[in-house]
Amino acid sequence: EIVMTQSPATLSVSPGERATLSCRASQSVSSNLAWYQQKPGQAPRLLIYGASTRATGIPARFSGSGSGTEFTLTISSLQSEDFAVYYCQQYNNWPRLTFGGGTKVEIK
Amino acid sequence: QVQLQESGPGLVKPSGTLSLTCAVSGGSISSSNWWSWVRQPPGKGLEWIGEIYHSGSTNYNPSLKSRVTISVDKSKNQFSLKLSSVTAADTAVYYCARTEGYCSSTSCWHYFDYWGQGTLVTVSS
């Protein structure tokens, strides 16, 4: 099983600032990585797939990068609606699809 | 836009079978997509359970495979999850989701683009 490790566990950011979230895979997943946003009491929402392709309707302030084992989700200028938990998911090792433990982005 | 809605009992006794259904609207379950179940224990991360294609083909997380059955009812545009021999560790919010991506003859590359709102299932006597 590929273990996905996200850091930091919690990120404190002021509105308007940039947020950088990391996701590391225990072995290469190529570019087969997705990012999700989850707000309290809601289902996850797909943000990024293919490591860097924004899903339909996702604002341009969200961007993904990386390949292999190291990935980054960047939120260029945090809006109030962006404070949430973010998960990465690898889909290179099917059917052993796995998620990271999440990064909580909170208001500083 | 595709919408998914989970339904089923919110309380299941230990050693019993958890049964949930996901109704799909705004799209056909017979499309080229697979359809998945994902769960999230309270305060914890996400775990993929398994997926089904409208043909009835299934794939399961190896860690749950011995206890999981996913089925599809094309006439009702819905799919279902059964998880047997449940324990308190199976207490979670269960989500159904549309699986996006592609498959070759030997493997698939799947992520999840539409999700249901989730339903909490508690395992307790």
Side-chain angles (χ1 to χ4, degrees):
Chain A
E1 174 179 299
I2 297 178
V3 177
M4 308 300 292
T5 302
Q6 292 187 240
S7 61
T10 303
L11 185 62
S12 298
V13 185
S14 299
E17 290 187 340
R18 173 187 296 260
T20 302
L21 290 66
S22 294
C23 176
R24 174 176 293 178
S26 60
Q27 65 188 75
S28 177
V29 297
S30 187
S31 294
N32 296 308
L33 185 107
W35 288 95
Y36 302 86
Q37 175 194 68
Q38 186 178 36
K39 297 180 180 179
Q42 296 186 17
R45 173 195 181 195
L46 177 66
L47 298 175
I48 300 283
Y49 62 93
S52 60
T53 303
R54 279 189 302 277
T56 302
I58 302 303
R61 64 180 181 273
F62 290 93
S63 63
S65 63
S67 66
T69 62
E70 300 285 343
F71 300 88
T72 300
L73 175 69
T74 301
I75 311 171
S76 60
S77 178
L78 271 161
Q79 307 297 303
S80 58
E81 62 267 29
D82 300 335
F83 292 96
V85 179
Y86 293 83
Y87 293 96
C88 60
Q89 176 231 332
Q90 68 79 20
Y91 53 97
N92 195 63
N93 190 33
W94 176 92
R96 291 173 170 80
L97 307 178
T98 50
F99 294 84
T103 290
K104 181 180 181 180
V105 178
E106 64 176 23
I107 300 174
K108 187 175 182 180
Chain B
Q1 174 160 321
V2 173
Q3 293 185 315
L4 300 96
Q5 179 68 58
E6 305 89 351
S7 61
L11 181 65
V12 180
K13 294 186 186 303
S15 77
T17 296
L18 178 160
S19 297
L20 296 173
T21 296
C22 180
V24 179
S25 59
S28 173
I29 205 164
S30 298
S31 67
S32 58
N33 295 94
W34 291 68
W35 303 88
S36 284
W37 288 97
V38 178
R39 70 180 182 178
Q40 184 173 35
K44 296 187 178 181
L46 299 158
E47 180 180 34
W48 178 71
I49 299 170
E51 65 185 0
I52 191 164
Y53 197 61
H54 60 78
S55 63
S57 295
T58 54
N59 300 297
Y60 300 130
N61 185 327
S63 68
L64 296 169
K65 187 174 183 177
S66 63
R67 298 194 292 131
V68 174
T69 302
I70 298 176
S71 59
V72 65
D73 186 336
K74 291 185 288 186
S75 67
K76 295 182 178 179
N77 217 41
Q78 64 186 33
F79 62 108
S80 298
L81 168 70
K82 290 188 185 297
L83 180 66
S84 64
S85 304
V86 296
T87 69
D90 294 310
T91 293
V93 175
Y94 285 76
Y95 296 100
C96 57
R98 192 178 81 167
T99 305
E100 185 55 89
Y102 60 97
C103 291
S104 69
S105 59
T106 57
S107 188
C108 293
W109 292 265
H110 283 163
Y111 51 93
F112 314 104
D113 62 348
Y114 289 97
W115 297 65
Q117 64 183 28
T119 187
L120 174 63
V121 179
T122 301
V123 178
S124 177
S125 56

